[in-house]
Amino acid sequence: MDKRSFARKTGIAADVLMYLILLVQMLYVFTGNIIHEWLGIGFFLCLIVHIILKRKVISGMWKGGKKSAARRFSDIVTVLLFLCIIVLMLSSMGVSRLLFPWFKFMGSSDFRRYMATAVLTLAVVHGGMHGFIRTKKKKTAALLIAAGAAASIAIGLALVPYMNRHFRTVTVDRSQAVEGEKVEWSGSKPLVVYFTRVGNTDFEEDVDAVSGASLMLCDGELTGSNRLIAEMVSNALDCDMKPINVTGEKYPSSYGDTVSVAGKELRSNARPDIEHPDVSGYDSIILVYPIWWGTVPMPVATFLENTDLSGKHIYLIATQGSSGFVKSTADIREMAKGAEVTEVVSIYCDDIPTARQTIADKLKKYRDNQYYDRRLRST
Ligand SMILES: Cc1cc2nc3c(=O)[nH]c(=O)nc-3n(C[C@H](O)[C@H](O)[C@H](O)COP(=O)(O)O)c2cc1C
């Protein structure tokens, strides 16, 4: 094999490898953190090989002269791709626990998912444009690039969050996750009320038997992720917490089956029976719940509609798989008659174990607003 053809083949191999590494990195629910971080190093090494092999093409990008529209577009995509890779690498280093524990930078996993999706998509367009410039079959090449880009966006924004929700079992050190800065809640006595899957689901005794579900093991004990958030709030505010538990049939252990049961409940506007948490004597309620089908789980609706919440202030903390608060705030305002309702924070499911400081910061902000509102009202 001559030198040029060797360089070309190595270049193609490094490019394909980079794309595959990024895909596997995004599906880290299957690899775990250690492999995920080492793959990041592998990606970086492939990038260096790519830059060395393509150094002439890269330096040609900055030369003047007449260029076709396709070549100009290709150059813009290349620059954007490079910038997105740099930001993604810095942000990934910023949350690394193994290789770069001393480096803290841009910690949001939502942000990293969007950047990884951008890199995946731009990489397809970047590779595709080389073929587009050379081939005579421009229409076919353009269609292939569009299809590849659409598939990359779907993988990053839909498939990856779906996999994370369905297949992830997270292991958490309870005291590390829950304990932290205290927040003094001025005036009213707060209570955390939460709904979580564990306690409301028919899980088998053996966690491994349900390891296909989205679960959290805190110090080896199966724990609902919303329960963990409730513990964080209770620790921050030094206050009581009470669960919303169904008294009738529990949800199935399979995540997918729970999704369909909850969908049926929503469509039939069901109000499952619950053990009603006693909220008398508390003025502020911090309501912690997962977003189910764009709103609150129906047992939370039972709680809101059948509890005297008038005159109370309900602060919302939702966990979600990508959608934010969606319709839940409007629905809660409708159901909790006579209560004031304020959104505090919606937490992406991947960020739950590390959400303690964000929650404390947001609670401080709303505590201060509350204080400020009261002063305004009294003047
Ligand atoms: C029945 C069901 C419906 C869900 N619907 C949504 C949704 O509409 N939007 C969303 O972002 N996440 C949705 N999710 C993901 C959950 O909000 C996410 O898994 C949860 O906040 C994390 O708590 P968990 O680990 O207890 O499931 C849904 C999850 C379940 C089980």
Side-chain angles (χ1 to χ4, degrees):
M1 203 188 306
D2 65 39
K3 219 172 139 191
R4 259 186 79 185
S5 117
F6 174 76
R8 219 182 117 243
K9 286 193 175 141
T10 316
I12 294 172
D15 294 358
V16 172
L17 197 61
M18 269 162 79
Y19 191 84
L20 292 179
I21 288 178
L22 192 61
L23 259 183
V24 178
Q25 276 197 294
M26 288 177 84
L27 294 170
Y28 62 89
V29 280
F30 298 112
T31 62
N33 187 49
I34 297 175
I35 296 178
H36 179 77
E37 292 203 19
W38 281 110
L39 281 175
I41 299 291
F43 183 89
F44 178 70
L45 294 178
C46 286
L47 181 67
I48 302 285
V49 172
H50 179 97
I51 291 173
I52 293 172
L53 291 173
K54 300 284 162 114
R55 60 192 182 283
K56 283 195 184 134
V57 182
I58 294 169
S59 62
M61 279 170 53
W62 312 110
K63 284 188 186 139
K66 205 164 165 348
K67 279 184 184 173
S68 67
R71 199 166 282 284
R72 276 205 302 271
F73 177 70
S74 171
D75 287 354
I76 292 170
V77 170
T78 305
V79 173
L80 273 178
L81 176 59
F82 184 70
L83 290 177
C84 287
I85 288 177
I86 298 297
V87 174
L88 178 62
M89 283 197 315
L90 285 174
S91 146
S92 304
M93 282 168 67
V95 290
S96 151
R97 274 173 273 150
L98 183 74
L99 303 175
F100 308 96
W102 38 267
F103 185 72
K104 297 272 169 274
F105 187 62
M106 293 196 281
S108 152
S109 55
D110 257 352
F111 174 74
R112 256 188 329 284
R113 192 159 45 89
Y114 292 136
M115 285 321 284
T117 306
V119 170
L120 215 55
T121 310
L122 288 168
V124 168
V125 181
H126 169 76
M129 282 311 290
H130 289 304
F132 181 90
I133 289 166
R134 281 196 204 105
T135 185
K136 288 203 173 91
K137 295 179 180 162
K138 301 282 185 211
K139 222 173 173 177
T140 315
L143 278 174
L144 282 176
I145 294 172
S152 302
I153 293 172
I155 289 171
L157 299 188
L159 183 69
V160 170
Y162 178 89
M163 293 290 191
N164 277 344
R165 296 211 300 262
H166 279 63
F167 296 104
R168 200 145 103 113
T169 307
V170 183
T171 310
V172 176
D173 178 322
R174 177 169 256 118
S175 62
Q176 218 175 43
V178 167
E179 284 162 24
E181 186 192 353
K182 301 286 175 194
V183 177
E184 209 177 312
W185 196 252
S186 58
S188 59
K189 189 176 166 193
L191 167 73
V192 185
V193 174
Y194 67 94
F195 175 84
T196 200
R197 282 181 67 215
V198 180
N200 286 297
T201 301
D202 263 331
F203 284 126
E204 289 86 345
E205 295 283 297
D206 177 10
V207 168
D208 286 344
V210 286
S211 60
S214 131
L215 292 174
M216 188 170 285
L217 286 178
C218 278
D219 298 350
E221 184 195 339
L222 189 57
T223 304
S225 38
N226 286 270
R227 152 98 196 189
L228 190 72
I229 297 285
E231 286 183 31
M232 292 176 190
V233 180
S234 162
N235 178 276
L237 298 180
D238 202 9
C239 68
D240 299 335
M241 59 179 201
K242 298 186 180 177
I244 297 172
N245 280 338
V246 292
T247 51
E249 202 175 330
K250 294 191 174 188
Y251 293 93
S253 65
S254 145
Y255 187 90
D257 291 349
T258 302
V259 172
S260 54
V261 169
K264 278 187 203 138
E265 283 183 348
L266 182 68
R267 283 192 295 278
S268 64
N269 207 16
R271 292 293 178 268
D273 288 335
I274 60 162
E275 246 169 72
H276 283 272
D278 181 5
V279 299
S280 53
Y282 299 95
D283 308 315
S284 304
I285 292 174
I286 306 8
L287 183 64
V288 179
Y289 59 96
I291 295 290
W292 280 13
W293 290 99
T295 185
V296 291
M298 289 303 104
V300 177
T302 309
F303 163 73
L304 292 166
E305 284 180 352
N306 297 288
T307 309
D308 181 8
L309 296 164
S310 55
K312 298 193 193 295
H313 198 142
I314 307 180
Y315 294 88
L316 308 183
I317 299 186
T319 65
Q320 35 85 18
S322 67
S323 60
F325 282 100
V326 216
K327 247 173 101 261
S328 70
T329 311
D331 289 347
I332 291 169
R333 286 204 172 108
E334 178 69 31
M335 292 172 194
K337 299 275 182 259
E340 196 170 333
V341 176
T342 304
E343 289 179 349
V344 175
V345 60
S346 93
I347 301 163
Y348 177 55
C349 46
D350 275 10
D351 294 334
I352 290 171
T354 53
R356 176 62 172 77
Q357 192 57 47
T358 309
I359 289 174
D361 291 345
K362 294 280 180 183
L363 285 172
K364 269 190 283 181
K365 188 174 145 210
Y366 286 98
R367 183 249 348 246
D368 295 343
N369 282 354
Q370 186 195 39
Y371 173 70
Y372 185 64
D373 285 351
R374 264 207 309 275
R375 278 193 46 187
L376 275 182
R377 267 185 246 130
S378 63
T379 49

